[in-house]
Amino acid sequence: MANVPTPEELLNIDYSMPQQGWMDRKPVFEDGNFCYPAKPEIIEEIGFPNPRVWSPKDDDWKLPENWMEILHDGMKDRLSRYRSFKLFMDICVRCGACADKCHFFIGGGDPKNMPVLRAELLRSIYRKEFTTAGKILGKLAGARPLTQDVVKEWFYYFYQCTECRRCSLYCPYGIDTAEVTMMARELLHLLGIGINWIMEPVRNCNRMGNHLGIQPHAFKDIVDFLCEDIEEVTGIKIDPPMNEKGHEVIFITPSGDVFADPGVYTFMGYLMLFHEIGLDYTLSTYASEGGNFGLFTSHEMMKKLNAKMYAEAERLGSKWILGGECGHMWRVINQYMDTHNGPAPFLEVPKNPITGTVFENARQTKMVHICEFTADLMKHNKIRLDPSRNDHLRVTFHDSCNPARGMGFFEEPRYVIKQAVRNFFEMPPSTIREQTYCCGGGSGLNTDEIMEIRMRGGLPRGNALRHVQREHGVNMMSCICAIDRATLIPLADYWAPGVGISGVHELVANALIMKGEKKRTMDLRLEELPGMEGE
């Protein structure tokens, strides 16, 4: 892990603009300010070009001899296929509305992390290669020639963008800079330039169905182990169906919920809820991942990795899909799934078998978010809750970027939390809902070698969290994203020590009154509930 300054040192940010023009300033690669390149055997296995050993600190990045032609043709192809890409290249007037909206600029002060200028890194090449004005006027028209230094600059800055889309919220023309980042990364991948923290999960998911490379028997062993913990807490034995045909619902969640702390407690919450309501469902060791790191590599890979969910639903004969708490999983589902992998005529419009509610919003994808499902159960009084079990927690909610700005998913998680806890506090309005700040490690940047960059990017969220910690004694931040549940732990430890991180359904399960349960004295983390230690 890279050395990270103290919060006091990191807050000494220089926002002054450099005297040198942005086209003339080149990034300096040093340990701690770049992600490690993908390993050649991983690149080769998943069919990406130019596998090799290289380092961003090297002068020679071992690019293909015809690298300029590859990039030109790649950009031309994408300009013809994606109307939004050409639109975003053409319509920016550099008004600056987005300039101070990026968490990486706020936390670091580098002007090239202003969304408008980060997009110019790519747009300037577009002008030179594909516009008459750029070809004739060059720099006067905001154009510049394509050089290896430009390629290095793309790698440096487009991997300091988490594709959170906060900047797009403020753009008067609706330019989605995250889409610009996606195109830039696709172009870099044509040269074999990618990071291992993204490409290895892609390889694992391509080979074994999930990002962590959990094999089917290990997946089942982990679920069995978590069920043992559930039995210790509740006295109730749960035996989740696995790879079974003929169940009404197939449940798919990010693999981080099955394997990583604190996601496992959220997963335990799912299992407890399903058992209590008698849901007719199955898990799958093939579709053991709802997340999709293909979103950070190429549209083609995103489509391929997403296909397993429909394929498994059809194989098992399920009627509809229920999805767990995840960020980019739901952005892919909401924005891309129907056009990439749909329609799915073998599935039905989801209907809650407990309440009878038809989820019309899922008519296209046939997939329902777990918070929608649980909120519906609560609204119809189909589960019993004792929120006093969470009285030792003072909770706030982090709107994960992808469900928030990618889905407009604001009310259901809050409704669920407020039924499960009695002490809930919002962070400042300018930091939540549509305006929410990123965790600083999304889009595959949640890797330890750039911890300082992550903490800088996490400054706005950390500042808002520290505010409610001081004002209201908040000691738990809940979220609905598996990556957030991992990245927010070091962020909270750094900016607001003493605040823990949880998923929403961990809170639900702690409050859930199950038929036949023993007296609860522990929460899902096997920690004693205050006031019940001696019972």
Side-chain angles (χ1 to χ4, degrees):
M1 182 186 297
N3 292 326
V4 181
T6 65
E8 293 72 24
E9 292 171 330
L10 193 145
L11 283 170
N12 186 23
I13 303 167
D14 181 10
Y15 291 108
S16 62
M17 293 297 103
Q19 296 297 315
Q20 190 180 26
W22 71 267
M23 288 190 185
D24 301 318
R25 293 178 62 242
K26 297 178 176 60
V28 177
F29 290 91
E30 298 173 339
D31 290 336
N33 72 1
F34 63 86
C35 300
Y36 296 152
K39 298 174 183 176
E41 61 270 22
I42 291 174
I43 293 288
E44 186 172 15
E45 181 177 330
I46 54 180
F48 280 72
N50 197 25
R52 71 211 183 281
V53 176
W54 65 285
S55 170
K57 293 196 296 183
D58 296 339
D59 290 333
D60 182 8
W61 281 22
K62 303 177 183 177
L63 302 182
E65 289 186 6
N66 62 333
W67 67 268
M68 294 180 67
E69 179 184 355
I70 291 172
L71 286 185
H72 177 91
D73 292 347
M75 186 177 288
K76 181 179 180 180
D77 171 59
R78 283 153 183 79
L79 288 167
S80 67
R81 281 196 288 151
Y82 307 121
R83 288 178 294 174
S84 60
F85 182 33
K86 188 174 191 313
L87 190 69
F88 297 159
M89 291 292 99
D90 284 331
I91 66 174
C92 177
V93 296
R94 294 176 290 288
C95 67
C98 66
D100 61 346
K101 304 306 186 293
C102 176
H103 46 280
F104 285 123
F105 174 70
I106 294 171
D110 188 334
K112 289 188 183 179
N113 273 329
M114 293 179 178
V116 59
L117 195 46
R118 189 188 292 117
E120 283 294 304
L121 304 180
L122 185 59
R123 193 177 284 120
S124 59
I125 303 304
Y126 162 76
R127 293 196 187 100
K128 182 66 174 178
E129 298 287 324
F130 297 99
T131 70
T132 302
K135 290 176 181 177
I136 297 174
L137 299 175
K139 197 171 183 179
L140 291 175
R144 59 176 177 162
L146 180 58
T147 66
Q148 290 198 31
D149 285 335
V150 169
V151 173
K152 293 179 180 181
E153 187 179 52
W154 286 359
F155 178 79
Y156 189 85
Y157 286 104
F158 286 115
Y159 283 98
Q160 288 187 56
C161 170
T162 52
E163 302 179 15
C164 80
R165 304 175 72 242
R166 189 173 194 266
C167 52
S168 67
L169 184 70
Y170 298 90
C171 178
Y173 291 92
I175 295 172
D176 189 345
T177 307
E179 293 277 353
V180 177
T181 293
M182 291 168 67
M183 290 298 103
R185 290 188 182 183
E186 281 199 27
L187 293 172
L188 289 171
H189 281 300
L190 296 178
L191 304 180
I193 299 175
I195 68 172
N196 203 67
W197 196 252
I198 289 176
M199 302 308 281
E200 187 165 350
V202 167
R203 187 276 307 270
N204 290 342
C205 201
N206 186 64
R207 177 195 286 180
M208 286 171 281
N210 61 75
H211 293 149
L212 298 175
I214 304 171
Q215 297 186 24
H217 63 278
F219 184 93
K220 186 179 187 310
D221 287 345
I222 294 168
V223 173
D224 290 344
F225 176 79
L226 296 178
C227 288
E228 291 175 5
D229 281 354
I230 291 173
E231 187 174 6
E232 183 174 353
V233 172
T234 67
I236 295 174
K237 184 174 179 58
I238 294 177
D239 186 18
M242 193 82 67
N243 298 329
E244 292 185 5
K245 293 184 177 182
H247 292 280
E248 180 174 357
V249 177
I250 178 174
F251 178 66
I252 303 174
T253 194
S255 57
D257 280 355
V258 185
F259 188 76
D261 184 351
V264 291
Y265 309 119
T266 302
F267 188 82
M268 292 163 67
Y270 304 146
L271 299 182
M272 291 167 63
L273 176 67
F274 299 159
H275 178 85
E276 176 60 20
I277 64 175
L279 183 67
D280 181 22
Y281 79 104
T282 186
L283 300 171
S284 167
T285 58
Y286 170 67
S288 53
E289 178 68 71
N292 194 327
F293 270 48
L295 176 64
F296 315 134
T297 58
S298 71
H299 285 74
E300 290 75 19
M301 184 57 73
M302 184 203 320
K303 176 180 179 179
K304 181 180 182 182
L305 298 184
N306 199 61
K308 65 181 179 297
M309 295 198 288
Y310 277 165
E312 188 68 343
E314 184 175 21
R315 185 183 76 86
L316 296 179
S318 301
K319 293 182 179 180
W320 56 278
I321 307 172
L322 183 62
E325 298 179 18
C326 186
H328 55 279
M329 164 183 172
W330 280 99
R331 183 176 172 196
V332 172
I333 291 164
N334 189 60
Q335 295 186 330
Y336 301 105
M337 187 171 186
D338 185 47
T339 53
H340 271 349
N341 307 109
F346 47 87
L347 295 176
E348 300 176 4
V349 178
K351 179 179 178 180
N352 191 328
I354 313 302
T355 67
T357 298
V358 177
F359 295 97
E360 291 289 346
N361 60 310
R363 178 171 290 275
Q364 288 299 110
T365 62
K366 311 297 192 297
M367 191 161 178
V368 174
H369 195 290
I370 184 67
C371 284
E372 294 177 276
F373 182 76
T374 302
D376 183 54
L377 293 173
M378 291 175 168
K379 187 72 174 177
H380 289 86
N381 297 313
K382 295 300 183 181
I383 55 176
R384 295 186 300 154
L385 300 166
D386 179 4
S388 70
R389 294 174 180 168
N390 286 316
D391 278 355
H392 59 297
L393 301 177
R394 300 177 70 80
V395 181
T396 192
F397 179 66
H398 164 72
D399 288 277
S400 302
C401 297
N402 285 311
R405 281 185 288 269
M407 294 179 67
F409 199 59
F410 308 121
E411 302 307 325
E412 291 87 344
R414 286 175 168 82
Y415 178 82
V416 171
I417 291 173
K418 289 176 183 179
Q419 305 305 306
V421 307
R422 296 198 292 192
N423 304 303
F424 177 76
F425 307 91
E426 291 278 18
M427 287 179 278
S430 62
T431 71
I432 60 174
R433 298 178 184 269
E434 295 94 334
Q435 301 182 73
T436 187
Y437 278 106
C438 182
C439 65
S443 82
L445 302 188
N446 54 321
T447 180
D448 287 353
E449 63 261 27
I450 57 165
M451 189 59 75
E452 179 177 339
I453 291 175
R454 284 174 52 188
M455 292 304 101
R456 288 186 179 279
L459 165 61
R461 172 50 72 225
N463 187 48
L465 179 59
R466 185 158 56 177
H467 171 77
V468 289
Q469 182 189 36
R470 290 175 173 176
E471 292 293 317
H472 304 294
V474 163
N475 58 11
M476 182 64 73
M477 179 160 58
S478 189
C479 61
I480 53 171
C481 174
I483 286 181
D484 282 339
R485 283 191 282 278
T487 58
L488 289 173
I489 293 173
L491 182 148
D493 289 344
Y494 186 82
W495 290 114
V499 178
I501 306 299
S502 79
V504 169
H505 278 76
E506 177 184 350
L507 303 176
V508 171
N510 282 335
L512 182 66
I513 301 173
M514 302 180 70
K515 294 182 286 289
E517 70 176 14
K518 69 179 184 181
K519 181 71 174 180
R520 296 270 196 104
T521 61
M522 294 183 294
D523 61 19
L524 295 191
R525 304 189 183 199
L526 304 184
E527 296 172 353
E528 291 186 337
L529 291 172
M532 300 183 183
E533 299 93 334
E535 296 188 28

